[in-house]
Amino acid sequence: MAGLFDFCPGRIVPTIKPPPAQGKAVSFNGWQFSSRPTVPYQKVFVLKLQGMRWYLQDNGMFNMSVDPHFNARRLELFYEENGTWDNFDFPHPHLGMLRCRFKEPVEIPAAVPNSNGFIDAFEITLVHHNPGF
């Protein structure tokens, strides 16, 4: 496990994607029957991150130590450390602390022109790492 996802506290808008269909329902004389899935439902979270910024040092290099919760370079390094294979703790605002990992590569957008490094809201996707029934 590699750390805590602590970015954009109070500004994350999470969405839980619905589970995929678990096979076809069977009809018995007009009655629809479907069985319980044999594997647990693995929640997928789409997070909309708001308020992130790129911070620069005086020499033009990225500064990852300023405003750590909204620092885009720090998020970029967090993804590089974890990739889509390692898990981390994610404090979901409604479900509590969950062990998650990145489902897809994280692509942080460029700053809005003339905004002093501000980034428009963007989405990342996490997956619940080891759900159980």
Side-chain angles (χ1 to χ4, degrees):
M1 184 180 84
L4 172 70
F5 186 93
D6 60 353
F7 298 94
C8 299
R11 294 189 191 174
I12 291 179
V13 181
T15 315
I16 300 176
K17 288 189 154 197
Q22 297 286 332
K24 296 181 180 179
V26 179
S27 177
F28 291 109
N29 292 332
W31 291 91
Q32 291 291 321
F33 171 79
S34 61
S35 62
R36 180 179 176 159
T38 57
V39 295
Y41 164 43
Q42 190 174 32
K43 288 182 176 72
V44 174
F45 306 101
V46 178
L47 307 181
K48 189 168 203 172
L49 301 180
Q50 303 179 57
M52 299 291 288
R53 287 184 60 180
W54 293 105
Y55 292 95
L56 296 177
Q57 298 175 7
D58 292 337
N59 63 4
M61 300 292 290
F62 287 120
N63 185 344
M64 63 170 260
S65 61
V66 176
D67 196 13
H69 298 299
F70 296 96
N71 191 310
R73 177 63 179 151
R74 186 172 161 260
L75 175 59
E76 193 174 59
L77 293 173
F78 186 80
Y79 172 72
E80 286 177 16
E81 180 182 347
N82 292 290
T84 56
W85 58 88
D86 203 0
N87 60 76
F88 48 85
D89 289 331
F90 167 60
H92 190 284
H94 312 294
L95 302 175
M97 194 65 72
L98 299 172
R99 179 78 34 98
C100 291
R101 59 184 166 77
F102 291 105
K103 181 174 181 5
E104 300 167 354
V106 172
E107 185 175 343
I108 303 171
V112 174
N114 301 316
S115 68
N116 199 24
F118 180 76
I119 301 170
D120 279 333
F122 64 100
E123 293 181 346
I124 63 171
T125 308
L126 305 181
V127 62
H128 194 183
H129 180 64
N130 192 14
F133 262 118

